[in-house]
């Protein structure tokens, strides 16, 4: 069910799992991230062990890199608030666990509405009475509008899973206003895309349009925190982490907007950089390999489109020479950030900066586009000229 995977790494001696997690932290830190939200999927077993290992990896790499605990209420097998409180207390004692400056442990459950506000109050009461831990509760909802009033008295802030398509993002401004009017912080979801072969659904991300739209909403609407959804959920094709099919493209691109969010000023473009993105198949392609579950558009998504996007970051105006399969073209691009859409076609794609008769930054998508496919894959592949 996976359509992409992490970049391969050489085998490591000793505790290779810890070493790999340490590399995840270094990669995130280098891109400007301050921490991970950690999806807690089970009370015991391998997932629990990896949670503890990630907390140790964060502490050992950078004591300032924090891990925010996110109990997954669609997966955790308990209805006992005391059981969950004990889990949070055990993980929360790690130095890397995210706490506010006043010492409160931040707890941000995924699909918080799976349990009532009264149930969550009992979780926090047990954390305080049994473990001496005060809590800053930041529930993440699938439906913020229906639950915000009920959860308001017990929450430090709010968040929502959000839309994975570039349309329908306007509600973010309303949600931030609602949170701030109630005296709460808002954690804005920022995403690349979402395509789920295991569930038979996908959102139309519009190349990098969803990534840019969700970052702009966080910046313009005054969000307090940002959650990148997700770092490494390859089963949903939503990963920011460097991957086999996308390299560092989405993470590098995100760093540009992340810098604006954190500093208040847009980074100066000091070198020409191109980002090229497309699917490797047409949205309506019918897989020939006997696939039993085919993805269809999620309700509320933008309409499916078949496009190649050239996203340019230029120090000065230039011509961008492009090739999509056998079709060659060129377009003028201004200084700064510019998005140009081209029709998707069979073959490979490339783009290059041409200025004053010379060719500069160049990028190629190594993955071929075909009209006939054996397996459906509706994620967007991306590449950047910023890395070899």
């Amino acid at each position: 069910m996976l359509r992409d995977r992490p970049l391969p790494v050489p085998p490591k001696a000793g505790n290779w799992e810890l070493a790999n997690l340490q590399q995840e932290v270094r990669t995130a830190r280098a891109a400007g991230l301050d921490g991970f939200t950690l999806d807690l999927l089970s009370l015991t077993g391998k997932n629990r062990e990896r949670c503890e290992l990630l907390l140790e990896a964060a502490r050992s790499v950078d004591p300032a890199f924090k891990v925010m605990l996110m109990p997954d209420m669609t997966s955790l097998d308990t209805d006992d608030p005391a059981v969950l409180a004990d889990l949070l207390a055990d993980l929360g004692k790690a130095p890397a666990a995210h706490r506010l400056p006043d010492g409160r442990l931040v707890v941000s459950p995924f699909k918080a509405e799976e349990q009532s506000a009264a149930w969550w109050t009992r979780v926090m009461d047990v954390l305080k009475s049994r473990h001496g831990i005060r809590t800053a509760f930041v529930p993440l909802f699938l439906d913020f509008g229906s639950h915000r009033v009920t959860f308001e008295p017990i929450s430090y802030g709010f968040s929502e899973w959000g839309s994975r398509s570039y349309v329908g993002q306007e509600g973010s401004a309303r949600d931030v206003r609602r949170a701030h009017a109630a005296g709460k912080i808002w954690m804005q979801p920022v995403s690349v895309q979402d395509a789920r072969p295991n569930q038979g659904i996908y959102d139309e991300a519009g190349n990098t349009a969803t990534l840019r739209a969700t970052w702009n909403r966080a910046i313009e609407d005054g969000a307090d925190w940002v959650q990148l959804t997700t770092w490494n959920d390859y089963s949903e094709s939503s990963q920011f982490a460097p991957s086999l099919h996308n390299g560092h493209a989405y993470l590098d691109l995100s760093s540009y907007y992340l810098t604006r969010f954190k500093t208040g000023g847009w980074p100066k473009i000091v070198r020409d950089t191109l980002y090229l993105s497309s699917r490797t198949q047409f949205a309506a392609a019918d897989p020939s390999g006997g696939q039993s579950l085919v993805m269809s558009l999620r309700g509320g998504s933008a309409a499916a489109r078949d496009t190649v996007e050239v996203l340019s970051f230029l120090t000065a105006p230039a011509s961008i020479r492009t090739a999509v399969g056998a079709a060659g073209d060129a377009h003028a691009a201004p200084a700064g950030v510019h998005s140009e859409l081209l029709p998707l076609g069979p073959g490979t794609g490339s783009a290059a900066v041409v200025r004053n008769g010379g060719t500069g930054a160049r990028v190629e998508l190594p993955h071929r586009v075909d009209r006939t496919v054996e397996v459906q894959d509706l994620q967007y592949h991306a590449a950047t000229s910023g890395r070899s």
Side-chain angles (χ1 to χ4, degrees):
M1 292 295 182
L2 297 183
R3 300 297 187 264
D4 198 2
R5 61 186 64 211
L7 289 176
V9 297
K12 299 178 176 69
N15 192 340
W16 58 270
E17 287 183 296
L18 176 62
N20 283 344
L21 287 171
Q22 288 170 327
Q23 184 56 53
E24 295 280 325
V25 173
R26 291 189 192 98
T27 300
R29 202 66 173 120
L33 277 67
D34 298 309
F36 284 141
T37 49
L38 177 58
D39 193 31
L40 307 177
L41 292 166
S42 63
L43 301 169
T44 60
K46 196 62 179 177
N47 178 262
R48 166 70 178 272
E49 294 169 10
R50 287 184 179 134
C51 291
E52 294 169 349
L53 210 56
L54 177 61
L55 287 159
E56 171 57 22
R59 183 205 62 77
S60 64
V61 170
D62 182 357
F65 191 90
K66 297 304 178 182
V67 177
M68 185 162 70
L69 303 181
M70 180 168 281
D72 192 321
M73 303 313 295
T74 67
S75 177
L76 286 176
D77 187 22
T78 183
D79 288 322
D80 187 340
V83 170
L84 180 55
D86 289 346
L87 170 67
L88 294 171
D90 193 33
L91 296 175
K93 67 185 179 185
H98 180 37
R99 292 176 178 265
L100 299 183
D102 64 11
R104 281 181 289 172
L105 178 69
V106 181
V107 176
S108 181
F110 174 79
K111 197 182 180 184
E113 66 262 43
E114 189 74 12
Q115 297 288 354
S116 67
W119 190 90
W120 285 110
T121 299
R122 291 196 293 274
V123 171
M124 290 184 278
D125 287 345
V126 174
L127 277 168
K128 186 174 182 180
S129 62
R130 183 181 295 179
H131 302 284
I133 296 175
R134 295 179 301 123
T135 307
F137 189 58
V138 185
L140 187 155
F141 300 105
L142 299 190
D143 186 354
F144 170 63
S146 298
H147 298 93
R148 62 185 179 88
V149 174
T150 305
F151 278 76
E152 188 175 301
I154 66 170
S155 299
Y156 172 75
F158 293 124
S159 187
E160 188 172 49
W161 191 237
S163 167
R164 296 296 177 273
S165 187
Y166 58 95
V167 299
Q169 298 293 339
E170 297 77 11
S172 170
R174 176 201 61 211
D175 293 340
V176 175
R177 287 196 300 268
R178 287 173 171 176
H180 287 171
K184 313 298 180 183
I185 65 122
W186 177 259
M187 181 168 68
Q188 172 70 17
V190 167
S191 55
V192 174
Q193 59 186 333
D194 196 317
R196 308 184 183 191
N198 61 346
Q199 298 178 31
I201 54 172
Y202 77 101
D203 291 280
E204 178 51 66
N207 301 85
T208 70
T210 295
L211 177 59
R212 291 181 286 116
T214 51
W215 262 121
N216 283 325
R217 290 265 60 89
I219 292 165
E220 295 170 10
D221 298 339
D224 304 278
W225 297 351
V226 162
Q227 178 180 220
L228 304 183
T229 50
T230 63
W231 175 254
N232 62 348
D233 194 339
Y234 293 91
S235 70
E236 296 180 359
S237 304
S238 61
Q239 64 278 358
F240 278 80
S243 70
L244 197 63
H245 290 160
N246 301 308
H248 286 72
Y250 292 131
L251 190 58
D252 287 352
L253 179 56
S254 192
S255 290
Y256 177 79
Y257 293 90
L258 180 154
T259 301
R260 169 61 177 84
F261 177 79
K262 293 173 70 172
T263 69
W266 290 104
K268 182 180 179 180
I269 298 173
V270 298
R271 65 185 65 84
D272 295 333
T273 306
L274 300 176
Y275 294 86
L276 193 61
S277 61
S278 80
R279 293 194 176 103
T280 59
Q281 55 192 246
F282 292 82
D286 188 15
S288 62
Q291 190 172 336
S292 61
L293 181 62
V294 175
M295 290 181 285
S296 58
L297 272 176
R298 193 198 310 259
S301 171
R305 75 188 201 189
D306 295 318
T307 52
V308 177
E309 182 192 60
V310 184
L311 185 65
S312 55
F313 288 69
L314 300 183
T315 60
S319 175
I320 309 297
R321 187 175 63 232
T322 60
V324 179
D329 204 350
H331 64 268
V337 183
H338 176 73
S339 171
E340 188 81 13
L341 295 180
L342 310 171
L344 187 67
T348 58
S350 64
V353 176
V354 179
R355 188 185 292 119
N356 301 323
T359 301
R362 186 179 188 280
V363 62
E364 181 176 353
L365 272 174
H367 307 287
R368 180 180 178 83
V369 178
D370 291 313
R371 289 195 179 276
T372 303
V373 297
E374 185 176 359
V375 176
Q376 186 190 42
D377 180 5
L378 295 183
Q379 68 166 318
Y380 280 95
H381 294 56
T384 172
S385 67
R387 293 183 185 253
S388 57

